[in-house]
Amino acid sequence: EPSTSAFPSSTPSSEPSLLPSAFPSSTCEGKIDDMEGKVDSIERKIDDVEEKMARKMNDMEGKIDAMEEKMTGKMNELEAMLNELLAFVMSTPAPTVSTPVPSATPTDPPSICADKTGSWTIGASTSRPWCRVAARQSDTLDFCNRKNLGDDCPVTCGKCS
């Protein structure tokens, strides 16, 4: 009895097979070759992307190294400035308190003559230790008068008797 299957059997048949005419091997091989070419193209693109990423990573690492060096330099500069500031603060004499002189009238409160410590603002200016700023001026008394520091910095401004 003849085979009714659409696929070739292992025994020769007098009927022609439908497979070779429906799927020519040359067409399949061409498609496989085309797919292999596309896979090769994709692999090359992946290699190109990996190379570009490696270059960018190297560039970024170089930039990070440069930034680390720059930040280290800035930290060293800040440390030096802080050491200078500390040395200045340590070398600045502490405000003195004068001993009150007994007054003729016992009802007057004793006066303590001492400069204000710390920082404060005058008008819209930046908060500063104004008594120390005044003490560093070439004309301290003029500076005290311009900034009205007599009450806050009586020692520095020469208001203590």
Side-chain angles (χ1 to χ4, degrees):
E1 163 176 17
S3 170
T4 56
S5 169
F7 299 102
S9 66
S10 58
T11 59
S13 167
S14 62
E15 292 181 24
S17 170
L18 296 176
L19 186 61
S21 63
F23 302 103
S25 64
S26 63
T27 303
C28 288
E29 288 173 1
K31 289 187 178 198
I32 289 172
D33 289 343
D34 186 43
M35 290 170 118
E36 287 175 346
K38 288 180 180 179
V39 167
D40 288 342
S41 174
I42 290 171
E43 287 175 345
R44 281 192 303 275
K45 288 179 181 177
I46 289 172
D47 289 343
D48 288 345
V49 168
E50 287 175 344
E51 286 178 29
K52 287 178 184 176
M53 287 177 59
R55 282 195 304 270
K56 291 212 181 264
M57 287 297 292
N58 285 337
D59 289 347
M60 288 172 58
E61 287 172 355
K63 289 178 182 178
I64 289 171
D65 290 343
M67 288 173 63
E68 278 182 4
E69 285 182 34
K70 189 174 183 179
M71 292 306 294
T72 300
K74 292 291 183 187
M75 288 185 342
N76 290 339
E77 288 177 23
L78 285 173
E79 184 178 12
M81 288 171 43
L82 286 172
N83 286 334
E84 286 180 33
L85 182 60
L86 179 62
F88 172 75
V89 169
M90 298 304 286
S91 68
T92 303
T96 58
V97 177
S98 66
T99 306
V101 177
S103 63
T105 58
T107 58
D108 288 342
S111 71
I112 297 176
C113 192
D115 284 350
K116 185 175 181 178
T117 59
S119 298
W120 69 95
T121 58
I122 296 176
S125 66
T126 305
S127 180
R128 295 193 175 140
W130 288 106
C131 295
R132 286 192 294 177
V133 171
R136 290 192 303 255
Q137 302 300 311
S138 59
D139 190 348
T140 302
L141 295 180
D142 179 58
F143 186 82
C144 288
N145 290 332
R146 284 188 289 117
K147 296 291 183 181
N148 195 22
L149 294 173
D151 291 338
D152 292 317
C153 310
V155 175
T156 301
C157 297
K159 299 288 182 180
C160 291
S161 50

